[in-house]
Amino acid sequence: PLYHQAKFVLSAPDLKSAPADAGREVAFAGRSNAGKSSALNTLTRQKSLARTSKTPGRTQLLNFFNLNEQQRFVDLPGYGYAKVPEKVKRQWHALMETYLHERQSLYGIILVMDIRHPLTEFDWQMIEWCGYSKKPLHILLTKADKLNHGAAKNTLFKVQRELQEQELSVSLQLFSALKRNGIDDIHQLLDTWFQA
Ligand code: GDP
């Protein structure tokens, strides 16, 4: 499958250093520690495609992965460390806003949330930006294995309701990198995004 062919291309601190803005890309966002790297590694079936880097300073880069010449994944910098200096927060904010608004080849965003801590302030910011730029958004409620099935489903419905109250059309699903659950669902969604 296409997604297993993902290959690291480059890390960019800004849009000027990014690969040419052509073809189509899907970006992965998430609060630090949400499980974004594990989700990316799981759905590409690669052990260490996305590094599970825990160093805040190193996370302020856009990481590009080619699926082929025309299709890419982008790993967006995580966010949410309480100790991050104000200056780094501002840089992150500027980078994300610029990327989400100006990147023409960006088709849609996958937002990864730890199912035990859904809809953080960071997540709402991302949701708002996706709304402004009118990009499709799909939410992965990951680490679903941390809850029993009933509790996981309840969280799914609860998050769905909260988004509907805001009149946001966002899709969402359960996921577990550990148990490898939800992979087919996200592959199918990505198929529609890359072919649409
Ligand atoms: P990132 O900072 O968002 O890239 O998060 P990571 O992918 O590095 O994951 C953060 C922590 O959560 C690590 O200790 C992972 O092993 C753990 N983790 C990630 N995904 C899952 C999952 O699906 N289930 C469980 N139980 N743990 C997970």
Side-chain angles (χ1 to χ4, degrees):
L2 177 66
Y3 309 109
H4 297 173
Q5 294 169 32
K7 274 196 196 67
F8 175 72
V9 186
L10 58 81
S11 297
D14 48 41
L15 278 189
K16 288 193 296 287
S17 330
D21 196 0
R24 186 171 284 193
E25 62 196 31
V26 169
F28 289 75
R31 191 180 186 281
S32 298
N33 227 35
K36 174 164 59 73
S37 309
S38 303
L40 258 166
N41 290 341
T42 300
L43 71 96
T44 57
R45 212 192 270 173
Q46 297 188 28
K47 280 199 181 65
S48 53
L49 184 79
R51 304 250 248 100
T52 57
S53 168
K54 298 291 170 259
T55 318
R58 294 187 54 173
T59 60
Q60 304 290 313
L61 295 168
L62 307 165
N63 295 301
F64 291 86
F65 303 92
N66 269 2
L67 301 173
N68 58 38
E69 287 295 301
Q70 289 301 312
Q71 301 173 318
R72 290 179 300 276
F73 281 156
V74 187
D75 187 10
L76 300 177
Y79 181 70
Y81 281 96
K83 292 198 196 86
V84 168
E86 210 41 56
K87 185 172 170 238
V88 177
K89 285 187 190 171
R90 279 200 304 274
Q91 283 169 349
W92 176 86
H93 208 275
L95 177 62
M96 297 294 269
E97 215 167 17
T98 307
Y99 173 76
L100 293 170
H101 290 162
E102 294 178 12
R103 188 75 171 168
Q104 298 297 321
S105 50
L106 173 63
Y107 183 83
I109 293 98
I110 307 284
L111 178 54
V112 179
M113 298 184 196
D114 184 328
I115 193 160
R116 299 165 303 171
H117 315 286
L119 296 172
T120 63
E121 203 182 317
F122 163 88
D123 297 321
W124 281 115
Q125 175 67 262
M126 285 301 304
I127 291 166
E128 196 176 295
W129 279 332
C130 292
Y132 287 149
S133 46
K134 302 213 170 26
K135 306 277 188 196
L137 177 66
H138 182 74
I139 294 173
L140 285 191
L141 290 174
T142 192
K143 308 192 196 180
D145 59 273
K146 294 271 193 187
L147 302 180
N148 67 44
H149 190 66
K153 279 276 181 195
N154 279 341
T155 305
L156 181 78
F157 294 139
K158 189 165 161 266
V159 172
Q160 206 157 29
R161 270 200 306 276
E162 278 199 55
L163 293 167
Q164 277 163 1
E165 277 166 22
Q166 305 290 319
E167 301 187 358
L168 291 164
S169 86
V170 175
S171 55
L172 63 166
Q173 68 162 97
L174 300 177
F175 191 85
S176 167
L178 186 74
K179 293 282 165 75
R180 309 184 61 81
N181 292 144
I183 300 173
D184 290 348
D185 295 324
I186 184 158
H187 278 177
Q188 276 167 29
L189 174 100
L190 289 167
D191 286 349
T192 65
W193 282 11
F194 277 116
Q195 278 153 31

